[in-house]
Amino acid sequence: MPPSSLRVVYAFAREMHPKTSDVFIQYGTAGFRTKANLLEHVVYRMGLLAVIRSRVKNGRTIGMMITASHNLEPDNGVKLVDPDGEMLEQSWEEIATRLANVSDNDLESTTEQIIKQVNADMSLKASVFIGMDTRYTSPRLAAAASNGVIALKGTPREFGIVTTPILHYCVKCRNDNTYGIPTEEGYYEKIVGAFKTIRQKLPVFGEYNTTLYVDGANGVGGKKLNIIRKSLDGELDLQLFNLGGNGGKLNLNCGADFVKVSQKQPVGVEHVPYQRVASLDGDGDRLVYYYLDDKENMHLLDGDRIATLLASYIAELLKGAEAGDLNMGLVQTAYANGASTRYITEELKVPVTCVKTGVKHLHHAALSYDIGVYFEANGHGTVIYSDKAKKTIAKIAHDGEPEQRKSAQLLLNLIDMTNETVGDAISDLFLVETVLCARGLHARQWRAAYADLPCRQLKVTVQDRNAIATTDAERRCTAPEGLQAAVDALAGKYASGRAFVRPSGTEDIVRVYAEADSQLAADKLAAEVAQAVYELAGGVGERPQLPA
């Protein structure tokens, strides 16, 4: 592409999407994420980068998702999706950050430099799928994304309001037509179709009941479940709450992140003692469950619980299919409850890998297994099946003995029900409901598999979150000096004490996590560690307080 044809890049920027802020913004764990009013020029430029990325990938489709996930409504964000439905290749994050932060006057020359750096053939066709969540700022940002694609003569296709996982799924299908049909309807046909098929094979028994309450976080996931509900033919009775009406604000005192971090029930949900509730986040990629007992105490079933439930059932089916040559592993982060890790390794006999926080790290590690189960404790996760696993299971389903075939066929249905590209609250919800039904379990029985260690998460505001440096999958600090020694000393005071600190990948804060043998001890440990962070890492604002 000759330099003269890049002039439109500057023209679009100057006339429609000018850079009006000097705030530095970085491509983080989930793309760019900040206040929506700082993002328009960034999203436009990511449209440019998506076209370049598509051409580097020989014209394969790239995705752009406009969302800030579990953040509150004033925030927004954008992330790029690679051709297989995975997160943007990590080596491109620095390129994205550079392009987002140059001045408008330097945008044309920087774009030209990037094209040369990545050796993009700008004569190739380029395709970009664009989706957005329900934030009031999303349509304007999606328009900026489209303009970025058009400025470099790419072809944008807007999907409107979709969950983040639906966009990932459609990108994957567009580049691999064996995976499915690249439309929202194609997603429903595959995921929901597999759920209905498998439920017809599984009689409802034991303490399982088909009623499920759902907290939709006033976001897109609840809206899509409302569409799906009508096609379930009574296999699951979804009672939906927080669908965005009655003045409910996105993720405000509701949704998976609120439930997980605060360990409180969301507003806007009617509660019946021991009735299980599934809580989604704003863009539909996280899922946690909980129930209230007869004293209104909340019992959380988070990503760790979902991972152990799915892994144990898949292991059972693999045994039934006699597919012993397939290896399965489970991937967690430092946020995984220590009790869950012990249960997985000692009871389920499944190997565990611990990686840095962020789905891209979990997804990559899960690929090293024939069947990789990965979940963050926050409820973001899925299962990945290798080509070897799929072929082996399909062969058993066709050629095996009757009991082997039965287990293998159930596994094939599970594979079809799974969105392997990314954590997907809707897909994961159907997977959980399938296993609970297959085993006749009440949520109380699911929770009884092991006892969580009490934990607490806190946030600390500091002058520069990047002053915190970590190693060992973010479980230990290497900077600032003295902080890790302080954390070790504080954790050593408590039975089963464990704590770590890490800079957030999505917010300008430092996160603190603590576990101990009682809730009071966990609360105290978290507060003491937060005070150490405040003192040693340049805390600003109010100093963290110890619990009374």
Side-chain angles (χ1 to χ4, degrees), residues 357-402:
T357 302
V359 175
K360 61 191 175 190
H361 303 300
L362 289 112
H363 192 97
H364 180 74
L367 291 170
S368 65
Y369 297 105
D370 294 324
I371 300 172
V373 182
Y374 73 81
F375 271 84
E376 293 184 288
N378 63 28
H380 198 155
T382 189
V383 185
I384 307 175
Y385 298 85
S386 68
D387 286 341
K388 174 189 171 185
K390 290 174 182 175
K391 288 173 183 172
T392 300
I393 293 164
K395 189 173 190 308
I396 295 170
H398 187 266
D399 299 333
E401 297 298 322

Side-chain angles (χ1 to χ4, degrees), residues 117-144:
Q117 176 188 342
V118 300
N119 198 26
D121 181 351
M122 299 303 281
S123 67
L124 293 174
K125 291 184 177 179
S127 166
V128 181
F129 284 3
I130 301 169
M132 62 181 179
D133 69 12
T134 57
R135 292 164 206 270
Y136 63 90
T137 55
S138 291
R140 177 171 54 84
L141 295 178

Side-chain angles (χ1 to χ4, degrees), residues 18-50:
K19 186 174 185 286
T20 57
S21 167
D22 291 330
V23 174
F24 181 82
I25 181 166
Q26 187 170 358
Y27 199 102
T29 306
F32 294 105
R33 193 175 293 180
T34 187
K35 298 300 178 197
N37 59 0
L38 299 175
L39 273 172
E40 189 169 333
H41 75 280
V42 175
V43 176
Y44 165 69
R45 293 164 184 215
M46 289 308 99
L48 304 175
L49 191 64

